[in-house]
């Protein structure tokens, strides 16, 4: 939040969007932690002394309000994560809406499955009836969405970096740093989802507490790029003729961004020079 609040004024619109997204993510995480605390209090502090094994059976009661709230928050965090990933893909491909049609379909389908599980869990639980089939379907859609978007962004940056290297004579891909950031944030979230799913299909009781960890990771991974870029340096965008060129001050990375007409889709005129924190 400090990085966003103290960024350059010339990208104020983009910073306001990121501040709003960050605030929503942190708010949802705080509500999730509060619901977890309520569960701990109900299971161990407010446990009725005349009910045997209450603290154990409490965690198997999926009709309780904290459970439903946490499941809905997990679904919402996933949906926000999808929106951020699709937005990144849209921007990297210079606002070409055709690129994001398939990811949007996957995101809507995955979110629908997730909310369906939340609606069904109070009555059928997570391990009975149609719930396992829906969970498997949601996980497959989620994995496909993350892999396709992360891979699409990385391949796009690699391709542009390769073209730039041919024109400038560089031997290394000038987009390597950005590719590492994209792959890193995507890999962290995908690894968490794979672990949760592995615990679920093995009928491990650890799958439910792991969702608590996954919810926090789902909120933090979209912000990794903002933090890393803000802490390691600035981006400088210069007008160099028919296309713009961005230079990252800490390691001299340069790459073409877009033409003036294409770049206007982000609300930034290409005929000016910017320093972006």
């Amino acid at each position: 939040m400090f990085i966003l609040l103290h960024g350059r004024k010339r990208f104020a619109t983009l910073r306001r969007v990121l501040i709003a997204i960050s605030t929503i993510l942190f708010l949802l995480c705080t509500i999730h932690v509060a619901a977890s605390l309520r569960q701990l209090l109900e299971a161990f502090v407010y446990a009725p002394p005349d009910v045997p094994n209450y603290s154990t059976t409490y965690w198997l009661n999926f009709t309780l309000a904290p459970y439903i709230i946490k499941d809905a928050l997990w679904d919402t965090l996933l949906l926000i994560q999808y929106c951020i990933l699709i937005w990144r893909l849209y921007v990297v491909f210079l606002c070409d809406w055709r690129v994001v049609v398939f990811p949007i379909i996957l995101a809507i389908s995955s979110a629908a499955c997730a909310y369906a599980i939340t609606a069904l869990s109070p009555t059928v639980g997570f391990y009975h009836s149609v719930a396992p089939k829906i969970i498997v379907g949601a996980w497959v859609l989620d994995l496909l969405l993350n892999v396709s978007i992360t891979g699409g962004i990385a391949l796009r940056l690699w391709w542009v970096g390769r073209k730039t290297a041919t024109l400038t004579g560089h031997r290394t891909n000038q987009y390597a740093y950005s590719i590492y950031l994209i792959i890193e944030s995507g890999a962290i979230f995908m690894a968490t989802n794979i672990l949760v799913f592995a615990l679920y299909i093995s009928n491990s009781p650890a799958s439910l507490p792991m969702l608590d960890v996954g919810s926090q990771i789902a909120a933090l991974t979209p912000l990794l790029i903002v933090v890393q870029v803000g802490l390691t340096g600035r981006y400088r965008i210069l007008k160099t003729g028919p296309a713009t060129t961005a230079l990252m001050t800490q390691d001299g990375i340069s790459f073409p961004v877009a033409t003036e007409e294409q770049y206007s889709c982000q609300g930034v005129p290409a005929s000016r020079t910017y320093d972006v924190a």
Side-chain angles (χ1 to χ4, degrees):
M1 192 62 70
F2 173 83
I3 294 171
L4 294 175
L5 291 174
H6 293 80
R8 298 294 180 178
K9 295 181 179 179
R10 290 167 179 169
F11 272 83
T13 302
L14 178 59
R15 287 193 298 109
R16 283 195 292 267
V17 173
L18 292 175
I19 288 173
I21 293 175
S22 302
T23 302
I24 293 173
L25 290 174
F26 280 115
L27 178 62
L28 294 178
C29 283
T30 302
I31 298 174
H32 191 279
V33 171
S36 298
L37 178 60
R38 179 64 186 181
Q39 283 183 310
L40 293 174
L41 292 175
E42 291 180 352
F44 299 106
V45 177
Y46 305 143
D50 56 338
V51 179
N53 299 321
Y54 178 83
S55 296
T56 301
T57 58
Y58 173 87
W59 302 101
L60 301 177
N61 186 358
F62 301 119
T63 63
L64 298 174
Y67 255 126
I68 299 175
I69 292 173
K70 289 170 61 176
D71 289 343
L73 289 173
W74 164 256
D75 300 338
T76 305
L77 287 170
L78 286 181
L79 183 59
I80 295 175
Q81 172 86 308
Y82 298 154
C83 294
I84 295 174
L85 287 174
I86 292 173
W87 174 69
R88 288 176 182 170
L89 184 69
Y90 178 71
V91 171
V92 166
F93 278 87
L94 304 178
C95 305
D96 187 353
W97 62 269
R98 294 170 297 180
V99 179
V100 299
V101 172
F102 181 65
I104 289 176
I105 295 175
L106 288 178
I108 294 175
S109 302
S110 180
C113 291
Y115 281 110
I117 288 297
T118 300
L120 291 174
S121 60
T123 56
V124 302
F126 288 101
Y127 298 95
H128 304 287
S129 187
V130 298
K133 297 179 181 179
I134 299 178
I135 290 175
V136 171
W139 182 83
V140 171
L141 291 171
D142 179 81
L143 184 63
L144 181 60
L145 179 65
N146 277 278
V147 171
S148 60
I149 292 182
T150 302
I153 294 175
L155 287 175
R156 173 69 175 179
L157 295 179
W158 173 83
W159 182 82
V160 174
R162 184 183 178 188
K163 290 292 184 180
T164 306
T166 302
L167 296 174
T168 60
H170 288 109
R171 296 184 177 179
T172 58
N173 193 309
Q174 304 301 303
Y175 259 141
Y177 181 80
S178 300
I179 293 173
Y180 295 151
L181 292 182
I182 293 293
I183 293 177
E184 180 185 34
S185 61
I188 292 174
F189 185 68
M190 283 189 288
T192 304
N193 271 0
I194 291 173
L195 179 58
V196 172
F197 183 72
L199 292 173
Y200 173 78
I201 62 176
S202 63
N203 293 324
S204 172
S207 61
L208 296 178
M210 189 62 196
L211 282 176
D212 297 341
V213 179
S215 299
Q216 306 302 317
I217 294 177
L220 295 178
T221 48
L223 306 178
L224 285 179
I225 295 179
V226 176
V227 174
Q228 287 181 302
V229 170
L231 292 179
T232 54
R234 301 174 182 174
Y235 285 102
R236 180 175 299 161
I237 301 177
L238 305 173
K239 177 70 177 179
T240 59
T244 55
T245 299
L247 299 176
M248 191 159 63
T249 58
Q250 73 269 21
D251 51 11
I253 291 179
S254 61
F255 50 88
V257 178
T259 63
E260 182 168 358
E261 180 180 357
Q262 292 169 322
Y263 202 69
S264 63
C265 72
Q266 301 178 41
V268 182
S271 58
R272 301 177 62 183
T273 300
Y274 299 99
D275 285 322
V276 185

